[in-house]
């Protein structure tokens, strides 16, 4: 394709994108975020979500009016903060009920607590199953839990681009499996698993399921209750817009709560939390999975992001996310495949989360050029790019402009002899 032909196809795509932006029911939500630097296109929401405009004011009010003015007397209004925000996430993004989600520590700690609770409940069994496209920290945690409990970890091989084949999971399940822990959306390829089918397979084998929803929550509709999920954790700083280091949530199905005992027995999980009794007695509710005082500042920031998810609605988010993904994929095929890019995600957008992964042999050398072109995308060594078209704050015109910039810098790189 000649330069003039390229310019023509980009101009045509841009005209279509402007029309779609004008009809976008979520267009108003873009102004609810702090603007990036002028001219910058941000497609890295799978690493860190953008800053909601309301967050700074919420934090200022909490710091000045609650902490600053009331000091320790404000503690009583913070005691159930992790539960209140957990209920909001449950309602707006997880398809779960009140009293099933609580927010507190980081994802790794939340995963550890639930993994230990699960294997203790299946102590007569000896195997934990995961997949090699599960997030690395999950695999590290599961290895440690298995070593501490005399178990072994079976790591299933997932296809690098399309994710785990459920036939492999089906073949691996037997009466010795205690726990299966998987990511609903692969951090690498964006492959989306069938939650209902995984839950059914694992339950038929008598095991428990622990989901990592970090790249799914706020990006795709999730129905924990309807699919009979057991346990889940998820990040607060990606598609929930909680900010750097935002605390993670954990979910425990209500019917399991009084049967599981988590390993980090802190005062916030005590059934008589403020009595300061000498012996630990776990609360009968989801509160038993808390440990220490919640990170109040971080939770306050997270609440602002969760409110935006609730206002937009997951159905609208998913609909726009799919429309953005399909436009991106078409443009990638037309403009980036000819210069060496290939798809490293499932080809069907309905089988993905919100990000699209591309492979290029020279990704590590092209990425600095992309950054200098004011385009923020994620590079995963050695040869992958993740493009996250988050529907709350990405325009269709952003997609066209992003692909054009990638094509231009790649042409520059290839024209310079690499």
């Amino acid at each position: 394709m000649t330069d003039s032909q390229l310019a023509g196809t980009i101009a045509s795509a841009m005209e279509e994108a402007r029309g779609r932006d004008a009809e976008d029911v979520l267009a108003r939500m873009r102004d609810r975020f702090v603007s990036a630097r002028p001219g910058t296109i941000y497609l890295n929401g799978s690493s860190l979500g953008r800053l909601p405009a309301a967050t700074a004011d919420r934090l200022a009010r909490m710091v000045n009016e609650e902490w600053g003015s009331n000091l320790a007397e404000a503690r009583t209004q913070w005691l159930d903060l992790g539960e209140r925000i957990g209920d909001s996430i449950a309602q707006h993004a997880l398809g779960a009920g009140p009293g099933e989600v609580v927010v507190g520590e980081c994802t790794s700690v939340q995963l550890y607590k639930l993994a230990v609770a699960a294997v203790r409940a299946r102590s007569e069994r000896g195997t934990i199953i995961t997949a090699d496209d599960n997030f690395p920290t999950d695999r590290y945690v599961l290895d440690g839990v298995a070593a501490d409990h005399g178990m072994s970890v079976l790591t299933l091989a997932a296809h690098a681009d399309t994710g785990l084949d459920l036939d492999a999971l089906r073949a691996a399940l037997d009466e010795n499996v205690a726990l299966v822990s998987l990511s609903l959306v692969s951090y690498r390829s964006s492959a989306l698993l069938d939650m209902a089918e995984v839950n059914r397979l694992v339950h038929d084998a008598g095991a428990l399921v622990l989901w990592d929803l970090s790249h799914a929550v706020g990006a795709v509709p999730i129905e924990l209750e309807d699919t009979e999920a057991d346990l889940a954790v998820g990040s607060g700083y990606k598609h929930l817009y909680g900010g750097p280091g935002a605390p993670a949530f954990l979910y425990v199905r209500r019917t399991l709560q009084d049967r599981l005992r988590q390993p980090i027995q802190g005062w916030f999980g005590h059934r008589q939390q403020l009595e300061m009794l000498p012996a630990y007695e776990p609360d009968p509710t989801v509160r038993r999975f808390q440990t220490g005082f919640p990170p109040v500042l971080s939770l306050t920031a997270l609440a602002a992001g969760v409110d935006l998810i609730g206002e937009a609605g997951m159905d609208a988010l998913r609909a726009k996310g799919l429309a953005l993904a399909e436009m991106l994929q078409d443009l990638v095929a037309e403009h980036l495949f000819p210069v060496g890019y290939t798809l490293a995600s499932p080809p069907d957008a309905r089988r993905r989360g919100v990000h699209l992964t591309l492979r290029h042999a020279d990704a590590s050398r092209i990425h600095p050029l992309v950054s200098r072109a004011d385009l923020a995308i994620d590079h995963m060594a050695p040869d992958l790019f993740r493009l996250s078209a988050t529907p709350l704050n990405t325009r269709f015109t952003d997609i066209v402009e992003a692909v054009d910039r990638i094509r231009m810098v790649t042409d520059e790189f290839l024209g310079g002899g690499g």
Side-chain angles (χ1 to χ4, degrees):
M1 192 179 294
T2 66
D3 289 346
S4 61
Q5 289 173 322
L6 280 171
T9 57
I10 288 293
S12 176
M14 189 63 78
E15 183 178 357
E16 177 190 349
R18 291 191 187 100
R20 299 185 78 167
D21 283 336
E23 298 172 353
D24 178 15
V25 297
L26 293 180
R28 72 189 192 283
M29 302 299 293
R30 182 178 172 85
D31 292 334
R32 307 289 290 278
F33 292 86
V34 173
S35 298
R37 294 187 306 272
T40 298
I41 295 174
Y42 189 73
L43 297 183
N44 200 9
S46 290
S47 295
L48 178 65
R50 287 177 57 179
L51 171 63
T55 301
D57 286 343
R58 285 203 185 193
L59 284 170
R61 284 198 304 273
M62 203 289 298
V63 169
N64 295 322
E65 298 173 16
E66 296 181 26
W67 179 15
S69 297
N70 297 331
L71 295 173
E73 293 183 7
R75 287 180 300 174
T76 55
Q77 66 194 81
W78 301 330
L79 292 177
D80 65 346
L81 190 57
E83 296 161 79
R84 283 188 277 128
I85 297 174
D87 283 348
S88 183
I89 297 171
Q91 176 187 357
H92 297 314
L94 294 177
E100 292 188 309
V101 178
V102 69
V103 188
E105 292 86 10
C106 68
T107 310
S108 298
V109 173
Q110 302 284 47
L111 185 85
Y112 171 78
K113 291 194 294 187
L114 294 191
V116 171
V119 300
R120 284 177 172 176
R122 296 291 188 274
S123 59
E124 74 282 3
R125 298 176 173 224
T127 302
I128 297 172
I129 291 179
T130 189
D132 62 6
D133 69 342
N134 204 354
F135 196 70
T137 195
D138 295 36
R139 305 200 303 270
Y140 307 155
V141 168
L142 295 172
D143 283 344
V145 170
D148 288 346
H149 292 80
M151 294 181 167
S152 61
V153 175
L154 173 60
T155 302
L156 303 178
H159 189 283
D161 300 341
T162 58
L164 180 66
D165 187 335
L166 293 192
D167 285 341
L169 174 61
R170 187 178 289 107
L173 287 166
D174 59 30
E175 67 280 357
N176 196 46
V177 176
L179 176 67
V180 174
S181 184
L182 301 168
S183 289
L184 182 58
V185 170
S186 169
Y187 80 100
R188 186 176 59 199
S189 70
S190 195
L192 172 65
L193 286 173
D194 183 336
M195 175 178 278
E197 181 64 7
V198 170
N199 290 341
R200 185 189 68 78
L201 290 172
V202 176
H203 291 160
D204 285 350
L208 294 171
V209 187
L210 170 53
W211 289 99
D212 186 338
L213 306 177
S214 293
H215 287 84
V217 63
V220 299
I222 298 169
E223 295 295 340
L224 293 176
E225 188 173 292
D226 287 351
T227 62
E228 299 184 346
D230 297 319
L231 308 164
V233 300
S235 167
Y237 58 79
K238 301 179 189 296
H239 306 300
L240 295 182
Y241 305 103
F249 65 85
L250 63 78
Y251 160 86
V252 182
R253 180 158 47 92
R254 188 179 306 280
T255 56
L256 287 174
Q257 289 175 11
D258 64 355
R259 294 154 52 189
L260 300 180
R261 187 156 175 160
Q262 64 114 334
I264 310 177
Q265 299 181 168
W267 70 300
F268 253 64
H270 199 289
R271 68 182 304 144
Q272 299 183 69
Q273 179 193 98
L274 299 180
E275 298 299 318
M276 306 302 172
L277 299 176
Y280 181 76
E281 297 178 44
D283 191 273
T285 73
V286 75
R287 289 187 62 252
R288 66 169 50 199
F289 298 95
Q290 296 185 103
T291 299
F293 208 98
V296 174
L297 293 174
S298 296
L299 285 172
T300 300
L302 177 60
V306 175
D307 284 351
L308 293 177
I309 299 295
E311 181 180 339
M314 283 306 307
D315 288 343
L317 280 168
R318 185 56 170 166
K320 182 180 175 184
L322 288 172
L324 289 167
E326 289 164 356
M327 172 177 275
L328 175 60
Q329 191 167 334
D330 288 345
L331 289 168
V332 163
E334 184 174 10
H335 294 276
L336 299 186
F337 284 3
V339 289
Y341 291 87
T342 56
L343 194 64
S345 287
D348 183 350
R350 294 167 297 180
R351 300 289 301 132
R352 299 197 300 262
V354 80
H355 65 273
L356 181 75
T357 305
L358 302 177
R359 181 177 287 109
H360 195 286
D362 294 302
S364 60
R365 291 192 285 175
I366 292 172
H367 188 246
L369 299 176
V370 172
S371 298
R372 288 200 291 272
D374 291 327
L375 173 60
I377 61 176
D378 187 36
H379 168 52
M380 291 189 293
D383 60 354
L384 299 180
F385 287 136
R386 287 193 312 187
L387 284 69
S388 301
T390 48
L392 278 186
N393 44 56
T394 303
R395 298 172 298 195
F396 288 92
T397 48
D398 293 332
I399 297 299
V400 179
E401 181 64 28
V403 171
D404 191 35
R405 292 184 192 184
I406 294 172
R407 173 67 188 242
M408 286 192 296
V409 300
T410 305
D411 281 342
E412 176 187 342
F413 172 82
L414 296 174

